[in-house]
Each structure stands twice: as structure tokens, then as C-alpha cells.
Amino acid sequence: MPIGMVPAGTGNGMVKSLLDSAGEICSPSNAILAVIRGHTRSLDVATISQGKTRFFSVLMLAWGLIADIDIESEKYRWMGSARIDFYALQRITYLRHYNGRVSFVPAPGFEEYGEQTSYSGEPSCETSTSQQESLNIQQPGYLGSDVKLENMHWRTISGPFVSIWLHNVPWGSEDVLAAPNAMFSDGYLDLIIVKDIPKLSLLSLLSKMNDGSHVHCPHVMYLKVKAFVLEPGARIDDPTKEGIIDSDGELLARGNVTYKGNVKCYMAYDKLQITVDQGLATLFAPV
């Protein structure tokens, strides 16, 4: 069933990506016209898994700086979209570095990133009663890709990290071209990694996100991956504090002594795995 999208949120990254691909301005009227015309296009869907818990993502997953800005800036929602820029300056001033490790199956041409490793098995984690009840309801539905990950060629990169960002489409919001080389249904996710970076360079990097040129910064690793495993850790400055994992603007997981909020987490702040189903979803598109 095709899904029609209208920009009515803070970021609107998905509909911006759809309309921009046809050279159209991101507006409700253009989005509605795209639905009326009835043209469709396929979209990759990422399955995020941890034990028996599944979360399906179509836009992005973030851990570190981008996730902290996206989720923690909610307390300034009254500022509108300006909250993102305002809180980004705070987070750069008091920059956090996180321990952790990422493992991935690189797309052809990106095999030089990281060090060779092997698949360590699907993440397992205890689920809460509420999570288990949700799982029982969702079991008859689609449970994600059954690809044999142990047969793939894995690479790994260890922290500390400033930011890990996975993107399915080019635009993260109407003014952030997060992954300029991302495609709607190529079967890969675009991975943006930032490790050690001076604060002034990071400020410059963030200012270049409106045109996608940040991916050419020497402090950025930008590659495509078929599968991905995140093992998040604690902050370098205070090991008692952990971070936030954000997917499609939702608080996916939250570590110790971090932003509280009112939102229930879907997963534990622990190892999780992401696989991609090529073209699983269908969207109404301008062309």
C-alpha cells in the first residue's frame, strides 16, 4: 500500500527528500499533488533488532551528538525549528565523547574502512513486561530480514566517537542534507562517523550540512553499509553517564543518567543490529 507524506513536522526529512529529487520545493501543496498524481517509488526499510524486539526505520538512526541534539532539544520545542540550532551550540560548547564500537558490512568500494572482524551474533537483551506485551501483539506481522549475516564480510571501528549517524534518504530535515549520496532503494544505508574533532571544526562542519559538503570534512568517514551493529558505551568525561539512541526522531534507547523526558524507550541502551530490506515500502512520489 503506497504511503502519502505531507510535511507537518519539525524536520520533514523524508518528504523533503522525495520532493527535492524531482526539483520541487518542500511544501504541503506539492506533497499533496504528488499523492494525487499517483506516481510511486520504492523505499528501503531498516530493521533494528535487539533480542526479540524489532523497530522498523525509514529515515535515520543516530547516536552521540546528533541524537543528543534531536532528543534533548525537545525541552525547547516552543522555539520551533530554531531549537535545533540553539541546542547544537550548547552541545558543541560542552562536547561529549562516547566509548563504543560499530561493526558493519561495507558496500562494494568501501572495504577500506575499519578493521576486519567477524559477525558476533544477534544482540540479545531482556525485555520489560510492556515490551513483551507489544511483541506479542506484533508477532503476526513482518519480523524483518532473514539474511545470513554470518556469511558476510564484516569490518569494525572502535571509539571514542562524537557522532554515529545512519541515513536512508538524503535529507535529515528541510535544511540538513545529511547524506548526499543516499538513494531511496539501493539496499544500503549511508553511515556518517565523526570521531575526534576540534570544536571549531565541528561548528564549521555543522554549518555545511545545508548543502551536504560536511561529508568531505577530513574528520568525517562517509560510507555505505548493508548491515550494521552498534555497541554503545558511556561518556568519556563521566563513565556513570551514557547516551541516547534516536531513530526517525523517536527515543529508541536511553542510557543511565541522561535526558529523562516522558517517552517510553523501545529498547535497552545496549548492543543492537540493523539490516536493510531493499524496496520493502512504497511511497507516493512526484515522479
Side-chain angles (χ1 to χ4, degrees), residues 13-250:
M14 180 61 70
V15 69
K16 168 70 174 185
S17 297
L18 285 167
L19 293 170
D20 184 72
S21 67
E24 296 186 6
I25 295 173
C26 184
S27 69
S29 58
N30 283 341
I32 292 168
L33 282 172
V35 175
I36 293 171
R37 294 189 194 107
H39 299 299
T40 60
R41 74 183 309 162
S42 297
L43 176 70
D44 293 341
V45 176
T47 302
I48 306 171
S49 58
Q50 188 181 73
K52 294 182 179 179
T53 306
R54 299 288 186 272
F55 185 94
F56 298 99
S57 169
V58 294
L59 184 65
M60 64 85 174
L61 178 136
W63 170 58
L65 178 66
I66 300 300
D68 293 347
I69 292 171
D70 192 20
I71 299 299
E72 292 180 355
S73 67
E74 285 286 333
K75 56 191 172 187
Y76 302 112
R77 181 166 280 276
W78 55 269
M79 297 177 66
S81 60
R83 69 183 171 91
I84 301 293
D85 294 335
F86 173 75
Y87 195 69
L89 288 174
Q90 289 192 44
R91 285 278 49 86
I92 293 172
T93 303
Y94 304 100
L95 189 61
R96 300 167 180 168
H97 294 78
Y98 292 92
N99 281 313
R101 186 173 73 156
V102 298
S103 303
F104 50 88
V105 177
F110 297 95
E111 295 88 351
E112 76 274 13
Y113 289 94
E115 300 177 356
Q116 186 174 350
T117 188
S118 58
Y119 179 59
S120 57
E122 187 171 348
S124 60
C125 185
E126 294 182 4
T127 57
S128 66
T129 302
S130 60
Q131 285 176 322
Q132 189 60 50
E133 289 173 355
S134 176
L135 285 171
N136 292 337
I137 294 171
Q138 297 173 4
Q139 283 297 336
Y142 181 69
L143 298 180
S145 173
D146 59 357
V147 62
K148 303 298 183 184
L149 297 176
E150 62 272 14
N151 297 331
M152 295 182 170
H153 299 289
W154 286 83
R155 311 286 290 180
T156 188
I157 297 174
S158 296
F161 300 101
V162 168
S163 177
I164 298 292
W165 205 3
L166 279 164
H167 241 272
N168 193 33
V169 295
W171 291 87
S173 67
E174 290 188 52
D175 57 359
V176 175
L177 183 54
N181 296 337
M183 302 176 71
F184 289 93
S185 57
D186 62 350
Y188 298 101
L189 295 170
D190 284 38
L191 173 60
I192 305 110
I193 299 175
V194 179
K195 296 189 71 178
D196 190 32
I197 182 172
K199 291 181 180 180
L200 286 178
S201 297
L202 181 57
L203 184 62
S204 174
L205 184 154
L206 293 180
S207 70
K208 295 176 180 178
M209 285 187 175
N210 63 331
D211 63 4
S213 60
H214 63 286
V215 299
H216 302 299
C217 172
H219 300 284
V220 173
M221 286 181 272
Y222 180 42
L223 61 150
K224 287 182 177 287
V225 300
K226 181 65 178 176
F228 180 83
V229 172
L230 171 64
E231 298 175 71
R235 283 165 46 178
I236 295 293
D237 63 316
D238 188 347
T240 66
K241 296 181 180 180
E242 296 174 322
I244 289 169
I245 303 174
D246 166 25
S247 182
D248 296 2
E250 299 290 333

